[in-house]
């Protein structure tokens, strides 16, 4: 009888070991492009979900968020600008737009998705960290009058969002460039939660999602780019579980002309790239939409008001000032470690 039990125990133990081998997660990686930026995925799971994640981002881009893609919901909304009748919205778009309006109100208009025409006037899509020294550059500084006229068409307070529809005034264009990648992180998170994923870190341009854990249980390490030298980093965030990290920086998209750097973070008060005394803002929170929207808003607001906005939303923020020095919310200090002595 005892022998029988020993045998049974041995068989169970062998089955347990084989089972472990079969079910242990593998490390899948993928690098691709979508939303005009690079998507880098690292997923620890039993199956490869990287294609599904990419499809999810591209579907969001082409069906909903990209003002450049004919047939997307935002493209169609912009096409209906100036019409008397309300443009009907999907529940998802209604939620996105109302959350955007709330951030606009709370940031005193520093964040404003109605500046699409101003963004178009600067031709930001054609910038990729290039300089006008580049002979291919087609950069043209918009004339002041042209800029003022275009800016006059913008203004979030002119939007009417009611009855599950929106009215967009003539000449206005909506641009979700400041939140699209964060929205993508939230969709990806929902997808990973539905699948058997042990852990993942997924970067959609300047917005990064961490989820779950690695097989060795070590924390996620997210580097924050050095605005002076993007190959390097100013420091690292040590994170566990689900986090969203978004950085808005003046080095991401810019043109230099006559010694001036024109970047893609526009101050809706002037129509010019924001001059708020900082080079970058990093926001850490659990929600992708918030991290992306607030990184843009805080950049435009600058350190003092940006810090207040971050505290109001209960998110962590880190600012890199123009002189390279750093300031951050108290909570951020427990995640951040410096990779070089502060200037
Ligand atoms: P963020 O701070 O997150 O966003 C900056 C962007 O938001 C600006 O580029 C501008 O569009 C807008 N913005 C600027 N100032 C403000 C403000 N004060 N308030 C609100 N919004 C503001 N780029 C391409 O070149 N080609 C593409 O095909 C393309 N497709 C895209 C599709 C989608 C769905 C999205 C979301 C972006 C796309 N982009 C494309 C844009 C590209 O990825 C941008 O570089 C990116 O959106 C800027 O992100 P960021 O994280 O650097 O800065
Ligand atoms: Mg943003």
């Amino acid at each position: 009888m005892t022998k029988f039990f020993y045998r049974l125990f041995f068989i169970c133990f062998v089955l347990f070991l084989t089972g472990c081998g079969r079910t242990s997660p593998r490390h899948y990686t993928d690098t691709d492009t979508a939303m005009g930026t690079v998507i880098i995925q690292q997923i620890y799971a039993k199956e490869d979900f990287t294609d599904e994640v990419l499809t999810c981002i591209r579907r969001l881009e082409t069906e909903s968020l990209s003002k450049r893609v004919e047939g997307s919901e935002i493209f169609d909304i912009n096409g209906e600008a100036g019409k008397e009748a309300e443009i009907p919205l999907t529940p998802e778009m209604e939620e996105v737009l109302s959350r955007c309006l709330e951030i606009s109100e709370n940031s005193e208009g520093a964040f404003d998705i109605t500046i699409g025409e101003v963004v178009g006037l600067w031709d930001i899509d054609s910038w990729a960290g290039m300089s006008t020294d580049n002979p291919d550059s087609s950069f043209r500084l918009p004339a002041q009058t042209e800029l003022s006229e275009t800016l006059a068409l913008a203004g979030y307070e002119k939007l009417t969002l009611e009855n599950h529809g929106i009215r967009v005034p003539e000449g206005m264009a909506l641009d979700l460039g400041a939140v699209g990648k964060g929205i993508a992180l939230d969709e990806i998170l929902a997808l990973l939660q539905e699948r058997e994923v042990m852990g993942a870190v997924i970067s959609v341009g300047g917005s990064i999602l961490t989820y779950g854990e690695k097989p060795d249980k070590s924390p996620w390490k997210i580097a924050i780019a050095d605005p002076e030298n993007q190959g390097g980093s100013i420091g690292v965030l040590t994170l566990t579980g689900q986090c969203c990290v978004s950085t808005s920086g003046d080095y991401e998209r810019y043109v230099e002309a006559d010694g001036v750097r024109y970047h893609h973070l526009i101050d809706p008060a002037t129509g010019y790239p924001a001059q708020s005394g900082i080079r970058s803002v990093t926001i850490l929170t659990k929600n992708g939409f918030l991290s992306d929207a607030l990184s843009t808003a805080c950049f435009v607001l600058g350190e003092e008001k940006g810090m207040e906005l971050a505290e109001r939303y209960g998110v962590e923020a880190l600012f890199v000032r123009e002189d390279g020095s750093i300031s951050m919310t108290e909570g951020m200090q427990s995640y951040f470690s410096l990779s070089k002595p502060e200037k």
Side-chain angles (χ1 to χ4, degrees), residues 212-224:
E213 58 184 13
K214 290 188 222 169
D216 68 2
K217 315 269 187 261
S218 62
W220 306 109
K221 298 273 186 185
I222 305 296
I224 299 181

Side-chain angles (χ1 to χ4, degrees), residues 178-179 248 292-293 295-296:
V179 284
S248 288
D292 199 359
S295 70
T296 312

